Amino acid sequence: MRNWNSQLDDPPLKLLVIIPVYNEIATLPSLMEQIRSRLPQAHILVVDDSSPDGTGQWVARRGRDDARIELLTRAGRDGLGSATADGIRHGLTLGPQWIATIDGDLSHNVTDLAAMIDRVNASEDVDILIGSRYAPGARIESWSRRRRIASRLVNIAARRALGLSAIRDVSSALRVYRAALLEKIEFERLESRGHPWLEEILLHALRY
């Protein structure tokens, strides 16, 4: 079920932020307040896989007071990639210039997302910007040393196997996409439904 608020009288949409969620009632309110504070003009689309903890109901209530918050409810849990793809397909109908994705569990810093938006707005040659965990100066908080090493090794292996060596972090979900690029991608051809979708969409995007 979708909860789409009327956009007929709104100016052209600059930025849509998509947040795929499942049982994120403990973190989503704080995340959305941070987005509203740092990116006040952003339109927020929450894609909820029928969370039993009331996440979707909270978003629906919040959306009644803020026309820039919308809810896309899916029938059941079907993976991060699938949720992101559904969010993008629906989001493109709103006609945004940029579409950003961010996790709903506060694992990403909204300050970083705001800096990424400033970066793409200042450039005409950027189609995808990824919030890399492995860029100089970046750090991963709350992860054990073993998990950080495993993540980096898996990322390196994926980059080499898929021919994406020029991309520093192929599995980060913190991203900003130019909507015009996403409109060219045939989402029905993407096979992954979970986290590997993040790498697969890059392979399709490189064709353009």
Side-chain angles (χ1 to χ4, degrees):
M1 183 181 75
R2 281 179 290 171
N3 174 23
W4 293 107
N5 295 294
S6 174
Q7 304 295 316
L8 296 178
D9 298 324
D10 289 349
L13 184 60
K14 184 83 170 179
L15 171 65
L16 173 68
V17 179
I18 295 175
I19 313 174
V21 297
Y22 184 79
N23 284 350
E24 303 290 2
I25 192 63
T27 55
L28 186 62
S30 175
L31 174 63
M32 292 180 66
E33 289 306 313
Q34 291 178 46
I35 294 173
R36 188 53 74 231
S37 174
R38 297 304 305 269
L39 298 164
Q41 300 306 314
H43 194 98
I44 301 172
L45 171 62
V46 178
V47 183
D48 176 49
D49 280 4
S50 297
S51 298
D53 70 345
T55 300
Q57 292 90 327
W58 181 88
V59 175
R61 290 193 299 271
R62 186 73 174 80
R64 296 188 191 109
D65 299 322
D66 188 339
R68 294 165 300 169
I69 294 175
E70 303 188 6
L71 172 67
L72 170 59
T73 302
R74 306 198 315 159
R77 196 172 187 180
D78 196 28
L80 173 68
S82 172
T84 305
D86 281 351
I88 289 174
R89 278 193 292 257
H90 289 304
L92 286 172
T93 67
L94 296 176
Q97 181 178 358
W98 298 101
I99 291 181
T101 58
I102 187 170
D103 286 346
D105 61 359
L106 296 179
S107 59
H108 297 143
N109 193 322
V110 175
T111 298
D112 293 336
L113 176 59
M116 292 167 67
I117 298 301
D118 289 341
R119 170 73 172 83
V120 297
N121 283 330
S123 304
E124 296 183 356
D125 60 349
V126 175
D127 288 322
I128 302 177
L129 190 60
I130 300 173
S132 173
R133 295 161 292 184
Y134 311 117
R139 62 181 181 179
I140 304 174
E141 298 180 350
S142 74
W143 280 19
S144 67
R145 184 171 181 271
R146 177 177 293 183
R147 185 179 178 186
R148 290 196 301 270
I149 293 173
S151 173
R152 196 174 189 97
L153 290 175
V154 169
N155 186 70
I156 291 172
R159 291 165 61 201
R160 291 177 176 173
L162 298 173
L164 297 172
S165 296
I167 301 174
R168 194 182 299 272
D169 190 344
V170 296
S171 57
S172 170
L174 180 61
R175 298 180 177 183
V176 181
Y177 301 88
R178 188 183 297 274
L181 171 65
L182 293 175
E183 289 173 346
K184 299 176 182 178
I185 295 176
E186 300 176 71
F187 283 89
E188 64 276 6
R189 298 184 60 187
L190 274 67
E191 299 178 359
S192 302
R193 308 193 73 79
H195 280 77
W197 184 92
L198 294 167
E199 290 92 351
E200 188 177 3
I201 192 174
L202 295 177
L203 290 173
H204 284 255
L206 285 176
R207 299 175 181 176
Y208 304 102

